[in-house]
Amino acid sequence: MTGIITRRALVAGAASGAGLLLSGCDKLAENETFRGILYQADDAHRVLQTALTPRSALATEFRPDQMSPIFRANGTLNPGGAVYGQHVAEKFANWRLDVSGLVNTPMKLSLAQLRAMPQRTQITRHDCVEGWSAIGKWHGAMLGDIMKAAGIKSSARYVIFHCADLYNGKNYYESLDMFDVFHPQTILAWQMNDALVTVPHGAPLRLRAERHLGYKQAKYVMGVEAVATLGNHGLGQGGYWEDNVDYDTYAGI
Ligand SMILES: Nc1nc2c(c(=O)[nH]1)N[C@H]1C(S)=C(S)[C@@H](COP(=O)(O)O)O[C@H]1N2
Ligand SMILES: [Mo]
């Protein structure tokens, strides 16, 4: 069934859905049922794909005793460089999350400010397309709350995640459409398995978007930027892997 779903259709669907979401009443859009109706109506292709697992559904959450004893690190294991190195040396005391783009109030948030926001904890399974999975516990602020605090504009259709690392010489970045930005399991985690996120796993802050595959879980997030289109970033496909290996922009699972 997924074979007939083109990337173009999915991206177009995501864009039109986000437009509806943001031009509509915020309160209504936060209601799962209403969001479900919006997203079922907006794109026939995606209705096919999501018939069995609606996008509003939560990813499976696990019990603490189901957590993997070993959670391997993958991709960049340390971004290196003078700027990141200094942040590590300072234990990220002067690090700030840059909230920019189509927002009324651009912000630079410290880890203390992120920790002061409502937090979510989730034990979920990470699935890497390279063929391994691990169950881990993640804790952090909800991305939707952060974007709301910044006053995200109705013209925004995606959030881009700017990462500190170069991967194969290119900037690692990722993106989510507005549906996933406001999904309750989309958090910027500063804790993994009850400890601070370590450097190999993306210190000080990494994305967890639990309905998505491993490569979407951007590590070393330095900035979140609200944008109207993905076309101006990287090669325009919404992320490092999407640009360079032709993974789908909509990495829904
Ligand atoms: N910034 C950045 N984020 C990244 C990557 C990366 O190389 N750089 N690799 C991705 C891939 S393919 C996977 S499977 C996960 C690995 O997360 P982990 O190292 O915590 O296991 O991070 C994803 N996020
Ligand atoms: Mo991965």
Side-chain angles (χ1 to χ4, degrees), residues 2-23:
T2 50
I4 61 166
I5 300 171
T6 63
R7 168 187 287 166
R8 188 175 297 278
L10 289 169
V11 172
S16 63
L20 275 173
L21 181 77
L22 285 173
S23 54

Side-chain angles (χ1 to χ4, degrees), residues 58-142:
L58 296 181
T60 306
E61 294 192 14
F62 296 83
R63 298 186 310 270
D65 61 284
Q66 294 173 301
M67 285 161 61
S68 303
I70 293 172
F71 195 124
R72 62 175 275 193
N74 200 39
T76 301
L77 303 181
N78 186 339
V83 174
Y84 186 80
Q86 171 115 15
H87 284 313
V88 173
E90 296 169 349
K91 297 195 164 61
F92 300 100
N94 295 309
W95 173 95
R96 298 289 181 271
L97 176 72
D98 197 6
V99 185
S100 67
L102 298 171
V103 295
N104 291 321
T105 315
M107 303 188 297
K108 290 191 190 298
L109 297 173
S110 67
L111 285 168
Q113 287 172 311
L114 288 165
R115 287 174 193 142
M117 299 180 70
Q119 306 286 301
R120 190 175 203 284
T121 307
Q122 53 209 31
I123 301 176
T124 53
R125 195 185 64 219
H126 176 102
D127 294 305
C128 173
V129 291
E130 290 168 35
W132 59 274
S133 299
I135 296 175
K137 185 183 197 177
W138 302 98
H139 178 81
M142 279 169 280

Side-chain angles (χ1 to χ4, degrees), residues 7 215 237 240-249:
R7 168 187 287 166
Y215 63 84
Q237 299 299 318
Y240 170 83
W241 286 106
E242 293 88 333
D243 280 350
N244 294 293
V245 191
D246 203 32
Y247 289 164
D248 282 334
T249 302

